[in-house]
Amino acid sequence: MSAAPAALADRYAAVRALSSALVAPLSDADATIQSMDDASPAKWHLAHTTWFFETFVLRDHVAGYRLFDERWPFLFNSYYEAEGQRHARPRRGMLSRPTLDEVHAYRAAVDHAIFEAIPILSPEAQALIALGCQHEQQHQELLLTDMLHHFSVNPLAPAVWPAAAKVPVAVPGPIGWIQGADGMVTIGSAGQPSPHPADFAFDCEGPRHQALLTPHALADRTVTNGEWAAFIADGGYADPRHWLSDGWAWVQANRIGAPLYWQQIDGVWTRFGLDGRRPIDPAAPVTHVSFFEADAYAGWAGARLPTEFEWEAAAAGADPRSGNQLDAAGPVEPRPSTSGPAWFGDVWEWTGSAYRPYPGFRAVEGAVGEYNGKFMSGQCVLRGGSCATPRGHVRASYRNFFYPHQRWQFTGVRLAKDL
């Protein structure tokens, strides 16, 4: 095997192995449950990412390939209309069969076929494997955040991984401000789905284009749990002056009074994590907050959320592999660490920007063209990655996106202000 296909095979193997490591602590029952419509069972994530490779690489580019089970595409297609009918998303947790062992067997069979095919695949098919690896990395983060939600609704508050040893850390000092670029800046990526990770970008990250920035500054770190507790203590969730109209309606309708997974016990704020329920760390970045909460906090603090263009211009020179991210080696349980200067990792940072296409954007042809473009409505952009994002997956131009009320991901806040 030549160097390029061998490197692609190594990358594929590493990505697939990490998914297996993440589910290693789970029983079949753990991997089957679905705690809300936004979350999917761990078993489904494992099978869906495998379906992606089987469908778009093996079925479409390997002559004579036969599906592992012709019934399973209906179960494990997510939202690809071009691939036909599919099992309803809210009912994924009803799939007691296939079992977790059968899903692992499916993964093993597809992996074997991919490894045999890589040396003879066309560049187009190899690019689809690269896309599939990025896709599976996205699902690794979803897998972790969905597991967290599943376990959070269990009254036993079970821990998936043991807690890290408690190490006293200093609470960060007051937020400092970094003056941002102003005038015309170049935004976006010129990359595209490629077998080479350094050249890869999703279609929604481009085309590169210019954006006009007015004088502004960005906070030198993200907002901490301790600072968020002060917002709560000051009645931040009870004062409509801080909230957008839709956000205030959401707070009222859902009786929101703290970040997701926070609970006050005997006067002490605690949070639930994959290491169980523990007191909040006042020095750690606040996480599991919605866009509505992020915007309200920013208003309360006399600031605002950065635009995605301000954020990208500031982070463009930083190492995207830095910061607290998910690593294949060592403990895989993600934990936000002390809020610090890194632009990448710990928590996804809400921006004030709507997820819309860049000038000149065109979705690629075929079913994979449904990957990003059709979701450019009603969602907000997040930047920077989190403690559950596989290291090497994000870059300064990377655009994550969620609806403004969603908060089961590791989402946090960096402030900005006009100058």
Side-chain angles (χ1 to χ4, degrees), residues 169 222 224-225 281 283-286 323-324 334-340 345-347 387:
V169 292
T222 52
T224 65
N225 287 325
D281 179 352
V286 70
N324 177 26
R335 302 178 179 93
S337 60
T338 304
S339 183
D346 268 324
V347 292
C387 56

Side-chain angles (χ1 to χ4, degrees), residues 11 13 109 111-112 200 218 228 243 254-255 347 361 391 415:
R11 174 162 173 74
D111 288 350
H112 178 75
F200 184 92
L218 289 89
W228 202 274
W243 295 82
N254 296 281
R255 300 182 180 181
V347 292
F361 170 80
R391 195 177 302 278
L415 299 176

Side-chain angles (χ1 to χ4, degrees), residues 161-174:
W161 284 284
K166 182 64 177 176
V167 178
V169 292
V171 174

Side-chain angles (χ1 to χ4, degrees), residues 8-234:
L8 181 61
D10 288 345
R11 174 162 173 74
Y12 176 87
V15 169
R16 301 286 281 176
L18 179 55
S19 297
S20 297
L22 295 178
V23 300
L26 304 184
S27 68
D28 189 280
D30 292 334
T32 299
I33 59 173
Q34 180 179 20
S35 52
M36 64 170 176
D37 290 356
D38 285 337
S40 295
K43 187 169 64 177
W44 186 90
H45 284 295
L46 295 175
H48 166 71
T49 51
T50 303
W51 167 87
F52 187 98
F53 289 111
E54 182 180 48
T55 300
F56 298 124
V57 179
L58 298 176
R59 185 199 67 182
D60 292 351
H61 292 275
V62 176
Y65 178 79
R66 296 183 62 181
L67 296 180
F68 182 85
D69 190 314
E70 294 184 355
R71 302 168 299 171
W72 287 14
F74 176 81
L75 299 181
F76 301 126
N77 179 7
S78 55
Y79 51 71
Y80 295 89
E81 299 288 346
E83 289 298 320
Q85 295 296 311
R86 57 205 174 275
H87 189 64
R89 178 174 181 171
R91 296 181 62 80
R92 290 172 183 169
M94 304 297 290
L95 296 175
S96 59
R97 304 293 179 89
T99 66
L100 180 58
D101 285 344
E102 288 173 318
V103 169
H104 281 308
Y106 177 37
R107 288 175 65 85
V110 168
D111 288 350
H112 178 75
I114 288 286
F115 286 129
E116 286 204 332
I118 283 177
I120 59 173
L121 287 175
S122 67
E124 177 190 4
Q126 291 186 8
L128 287 168
I129 292 179
L131 175 62
C133 288
Q134 298 279 339
H135 169 255
E136 183 147 348
Q137 287 184 310
Q138 289 180 315
H139 276 271
Q140 287 165 350
E141 181 156 11
L142 289 167
L143 172 65
L144 286 166
T145 52
D146 291 359
M147 284 166 54
L148 175 58
H149 194 272
H150 300 336
F151 283 101
S152 76
V153 299
N154 187 322
L156 299 178
V160 179
W161 284 284
K166 182 64 177 176
V167 178
V169 292
V171 174
I175 283 175
W177 296 94
I178 302 168
Q179 185 167 346
D182 64 84
M184 299 300 293
V185 296
T186 302
I187 295 297
S189 173
Q192 56 187 337
S194 161
H196 308 291
D199 301 328
F200 184 92
F202 288 113
D203 57 359
C204 65
E205 297 176 51
R208 283 180 67 78
H209 65 286
Q210 290 192 310
L212 176 64
L213 303 185
T214 56
H216 67 282
L218 289 89
D220 63 354
R221 60 170 176 81
T222 52
V223 173
T224 65
N225 287 325
E227 290 165 332
W228 202 274
F231 172 63
I232 297 173
D234 195 45

